[in-house]
Amino acid sequence: MALIEFHLDSRSGVPTYLQLVQQVRHAVQLGILRPGDQLPTVKEVVTSLTINPNTVLKAYGALESEGIAEGRRGQGTFVMSSAPSPLGDDVGKLRRSLRNWFGQARAAGLDEQAIEALLSEQRGSARKVA
Amino acid sequence: MTSALETRGLGRRYGSQWALQNCTLEIPRGTVTALVGPNGAGKTTLLRLAVGLIRPSAGSVRVFGLDPREQAGEALPRVGFLAQEHPLYSGFTVEEMLRVGRKLNPGWDDAGARGRIAALDLPLEKKVRSLSGGQRAQVALTLALAKRPELLLLDEPVASLDPLARREFLQSVVEAVAEHELSVILSSHILADLERVCDHLVILAAGRTQLAASIDEIIASHRLLTGPRGEAEDVSRMHEVVRESHAERQTTLLVRANGHIYDSHWTVHELDLEEIVLAYLGQDAVRRREAVAS
Amino acid sequence: MIWLSWRQQRTEAALTAAMVTLLAALFVPAGLHLASFYDHGGVAHCIAGHKNPACAQTLAEFGSRAGILRSVVPWLTLLPGMIGVALAAPIVLDLEAGTYRLAWTQSVTRGRWIATRISFGIVMALAAAGLLAVLFSWYRGPLDKVFGRFDGTSFDLEGIVPLGYVLFALGLGLAIGVVWRRTAPAVIASFLAYVACRLFVDGWLRQRFVAPLSATWSINARGPNLNNDWVLSSGVSDRAGHLFGGDFAALQACGRVAFKGAKVLNAKCLARHGAGYNHAVWQPDSRFWEFQGIESTLFAGAGLLLIAFAAWRLLRAD
């Protein structure tokens, strides 16, 4: 049984392989995948999503160059010990403050699009700082 | 390494009508290629030429470097073919169809075939004529896969199937690709079926190849340019204009870019695959291509 | 490939076998009965020339012993045609249904598929026709000794011609089917073509294979014994052999005269009317196997040519 299951949003405009990369990254950050865990095999991903095997290979290749996972010949792809460690308790705190923030934003009368715009704007500047 | 499929100036004529003309393309091994085009574009003709069912009227076709007709003995075991109607002997049982495969293919993987049939819950004693469309398609696919081909040609394999059967069929195909290093060419006139599954694309229209490239490259190189109403000349000097349209105050160009687009005249947008394909299938693009060819 | 050829022709083979079995069940008992009557009922005696007054009746009785089956036999000449065309049908069906594309895209070359399926058809056809020929040659044995074997229905069902017929029918079915690719019309057209050709040969060509013998003899003389031969024409004629075409009533007037102690027809009078002789044209029984050979070669040769044509067309198809 695979440890995690991928899903695809075919309308998001994000290339399939990138979606897989992001989902692995998130799983590692949230502690769902730990160093040494095996990522789903190419065949498992291909069967569950009905996508081209090369796409999976591309995603796993990208994860390898980011240092999050490594492929071991004949065995599979595994999460590396040098992967960014999970956020742990911080995640819970961040989650709660986000929920508060959303509540405040809606109370202030912001609709979905306004919230999106605000998020994009701040995300961009946050990146520049980091 | 020899390509899975290579054609040079390939053409096929019926009477005075060319079903396929001047088709030159190369499909590398290990890819899953979508062969897209409207009905009558020449997709079936191309696939049948590739497996030796019909003879070229012009040009040549090679699979793994072999002539599928003259060297049929060597080529046939390496190429699997599934015709559009999913031909099976209607009076045979599923078991007997597997026997056909075993008797006619020295490289037949009987255990694999039976495993597939069992995994799909297909009853061995049932006659082909009492199977559903989706079940027939799976039996036909099992036959094509169990001979362990290196190249699999599927002619409109899911056109007659309901969405669930369609998904299950394609799932079987990509599983086989993952397991056995198989190259696949599948044709369809519906792009949506193929986008997830393919990494290469060949567009046929009016018997001609409009485009043949990897999907990554196609998405990376095609752009939509919008700008104030004007001429496309400057752009067309540097890049290939696929489609050109003019509104009263605005000109829109769909181009295949040859490098970066520097002209500040234009706003550059990215495109999704479907829009690109539709552009190539449009009348404008087809006419341009014919003009270039003659 | 052999298994597949068999499996795809299974129904036709079974039907053919059933039919041959049915015919055997009908004709073997009848044949045994005829043979025993021939030996023990005095027929053999009569034929051997031991004339005795009962012979006429014995022979007549013998003929009727053949029973109801006599009316069945003429239809049986259509059997080789039906068998040949039926054995071509599965291959044409493959072409019509497009399932040949399945067979031609496995690992077997087109040539091997064609050769195996056609060979299989030929073998089955010859086996069925051979069995029928043996059955009927045996059945007709006693009858042939009395009535000759050169007449229409007998010649068609005995010896080796059924083999030629079945090959011809198979060839027609394949040739027409490969070009037309629609099974039902092709089967009908092939069968009709078979019947037409058979009628042509039966009715016109066969008697001309070798120039027939002829004789003219006086009406009072004995003339040749043509019992077992194939008589093409016979009748009253003049001395030169031209058949009498006039009114027989006039000849009655010639009356009878005494001649060597018996009353015979007035020869001189008859001669004046353009009669007085008997003339016959026939193919002697001794030529039976010669004719069998010619007709078999004709049909088998045509059949094999048609089969070769069908094979060539398939090989070069598309």
Side-chain angles (χ1 to χ4, degrees), chain A residues 21-64:
Chain A
V21 169
Q22 285 170 359
Q23 287 172 43
V24 171
R25 230 190 266 133
H26 290 167
V28 169
Q29 283 172 342
L30 295 178
I32 299 171
L33 281 177
R34 291 181 288 271
D37 281 343
Q38 186 183 10
L39 298 180
T41 63
V42 174
K43 187 170 172 205
E44 282 170 333
V45 181
V46 151
T47 304
S48 69
L49 294 181
T50 310
I51 56 170
N52 191 296
N54 287 335
T55 311
V56 183
L57 292 172
K58 199 168 167 188
Y60 284 10
L63 287 168
E64 225 173 304

Side-chain angles (χ1 to χ4, degrees), chain B residues 11-181:
Chain B
R12 168 70 194 196
R13 181 177 50 180
Y14 290 98
S16 59
Q17 280 273 65
W18 286 89
L20 186 69
Q21 7 180 1
N22 214 352
C23 174
T24 301
L25 45 80
E26 198 201 313
I27 292 178
R29 296 193 196 209
T31 56
V32 180
T33 302
L35 183 57
V36 172
N39 291 322
K43 307 190 293 292
T44 301
T45 307
L46 176 57
L47 292 175
R48 285 186 185 166
L49 283 163
V51 80
L53 277 176
I54 58 182
R55 226 178 320 131
S57 309
S60 71
V61 54
R62 297 283 180 270
V63 285
F64 302 112
L66 300 166
D67 184 324
R69 202 141 157 128
E70 303 301 319
Q71 296 169 283
E74 293 172 67
L76 278 179
R78 300 171 72 175
V79 181
F81 180 80
L82 183 43
Q84 191 167 352
E85 342 63 85
H86 304 151
L88 296 169
Y89 300 120
S90 57
F92 282 40
T93 60
V94 175
E95 168 92 53
E96 284 175 318
M97 283 313 311
L98 291 185
R99 199 161 168 195
V100 172
R102 201 170 69 240
K103 296 272 177 180
L104 297 187
N105 295 292
W108 179 259
D109 174 9
D110 200 50
R114 285 176 189 277
R116 266 201 99 232
I117 297 288
L120 293 164
D121 261 325
L122 293 172
L124 283 171
E125 349 67 57
K126 220 169 174 196
K127 294 222 177 194
V128 163
R129 58 171 147 251
S130 47
L131 294 175
S132 71
Q135 289 175 316
R136 284 180 59 118
Q138 287 288 12
V139 173
L141 181 61
T142 304
L143 237 58
L145 286 175
K147 79 185 224 197
R148 289 278 162 264
E150 292 166 53
L151 170 64
L152 184 61
L153 306 174
L154 306 172
D155 189 3
E156 300 260 7
V158 293
S160 60
L161 302 180
D162 63 73
L164 180 60
R166 205 172 281 199
R167 174 55 70 96
E168 287 176 341
F169 185 93
L170 290 174
Q171 198 177 42
S172 297
V173 172
V174 289
E175 265 181 29
V177 173
E179 267 182 79
H180 302 291
E181 280 196 44

Side-chain angles (χ1 to χ4, degrees), chain A residues 60-116:
Chain A
Y60 284 10
L63 287 168
E64 225 173 304
S65 49
E66 278 186 38
I68 298 178
E70 68 172 345
R72 286 179 215 156
R73 270 212 101 106
Q75 293 180 6
T77 312
F78 297 82
V79 179
M80 288 187 74
S81 44
S82 55
S85 44
L87 304 172
D89 294 321
D90 300 330
V91 181
K93 281 191 206 141
L94 285 168
R95 196 179 278 133
R96 278 190 295 276
S97 56
L98 245 190
R99 209 183 297 141
N100 286 334
W101 185 88
F102 273 115
Q104 289 167 14
R106 279 199 203 97
L110 291 174
D111 66 9
E112 279 305 311
Q113 275 151 329
I115 293 178
E116 255 319 305

Side-chain angles (χ1 to χ4, degrees), chain B residues 4 222 286:
Chain B
H222 285 77
V286 173

Side-chain angles (χ1 to χ4, degrees), chain C residues 242-260:
Chain C
H242 302 125
L243 288 175
F244 179 75
D247 185 2
F248 276 95
L251 296 183
Q252 299 283 44
C254 280
R256 291 173 182 271
V257 296
F259 183 73
K260 290 191 179 165

Side-chain angles (χ1 to χ4, degrees), chain C residues 10-317:
Chain C
R10 200 170 64 171
T11 316
E12 287 74 14
L15 284 173
T16 308
M19 195 179 40
V20 170
T21 312
L22 174 67
L23 288 170
L26 286 175
F27 282 89
V28 165
L32 288 170
H33 182 71
L34 277 174
S36 115
F37 188 81
Y38 181 84
D39 291 330
H40 308 299
V43 183
H45 274 268
C46 292
I47 296 298
H50 304 232
K51 278 285 186 225
N52 91 58
C55 268
Q57 198 193 345
T58 310
L59 289 176
E61 169 113 23
F62 179 63
S64 71
R65 285 287 173 114
I68 314 167
L69 292 181
R70 282 176 80 194
S71 48
V72 172
V73 166
W75 290 98
L76 297 177
T77 191
L78 295 176
L79 270 185
M82 287 164 57
I83 294 173
V85 167
L87 289 173
I91 297 178
V92 181
L93 203 52
D94 231 343
L95 296 174
E96 183 180 12
T99 46
Y100 72 97
R101 289 196 195 105
L102 173 64
W104 290 5
T105 52
Q106 301 304 305
S107 302
V108 172
T109 61
R110 195 189 281 206
R112 198 164 140 214
W113 184 89
I114 294 168
T116 314
R117 292 213 66 188
I118 289 183
S119 306
F120 215 81
I122 292 177
V123 165
M124 298 233 58
L126 291 177
L131 282 173
L132 286 174
V134 165
L135 177 67
F136 284 110
S137 298
W138 171 83
Y139 166 79
R140 287 261 345 167
L143 287 166
D144 285 347
K145 290 200 190 102
V146 176
F147 301 109
R149 54 189 171 167
F150 230 137
D151 86 69
T153 49
S154 194
F155 186 86
D156 291 357
L157 293 168
E158 294 184 38
I160 53 173
V161 282
L163 300 174
Y165 297 155
V166 86
L167 277 180
F168 180 63
L170 181 64
L172 277 175
L174 285 174
I176 294 179
V178 162
V179 172
W180 201 347
R181 298 205 185 186
R182 292 192 50 217
T183 316
V187 160
I188 294 171
S190 312
F191 187 68
L192 291 176
Y194 169 82
V195 169
C197 292
R198 282 290 315 278
L199 283 173
F200 171 68
V201 171
D202 255 26
W204 190 86
L205 189 60
R206 187 187 294 161
Q207 62 202 136
R208 290 169 171 78
F209 285 164
V210 182
L213 301 177
S214 63
T216 315
W217 64 99
S218 163
I219 217 156
N220 294 321
R222 234 182 122 190
N225 180 356
L226 299 178
N227 259 337
N228 282 6
D229 300 317
W230 179 17
V231 177
L232 297 175
S233 73
S234 74
V236 176
S237 75
D238 68 11
R239 194 169 176 179
H242 302 125
L243 288 175
F244 179 75
D247 185 2
F248 276 95
L251 296 183
Q252 299 283 44
C254 280
R256 291 173 182 271
V257 296
F259 183 73
K260 290 191 179 165
K263 281 267 167 100
V264 296
L265 288 169
N266 188 336
K268 286 206 183 81
C269 169
L270 288 173
R272 255 181 283 127
H273 281 88
Y277 292 86
N278 277 319
H279 179 80
V281 181
W282 74 98
Q283 297 285 3
D285 177 71
S286 56
R287 288 186 185 169
F288 177 77
W289 284 109
E290 191 182 344
F291 273 53
Q292 280 268 329
I294 295 173
E295 187 150 333
S296 310
T297 311
L298 193 65
F299 279 100
L304 289 171
L305 270 176
L306 288 167
I307 292 174
F309 165 76
W312 173 81
R313 269 297 285 245
L314 279 178
L315 213 50
R316 280 191 45 94

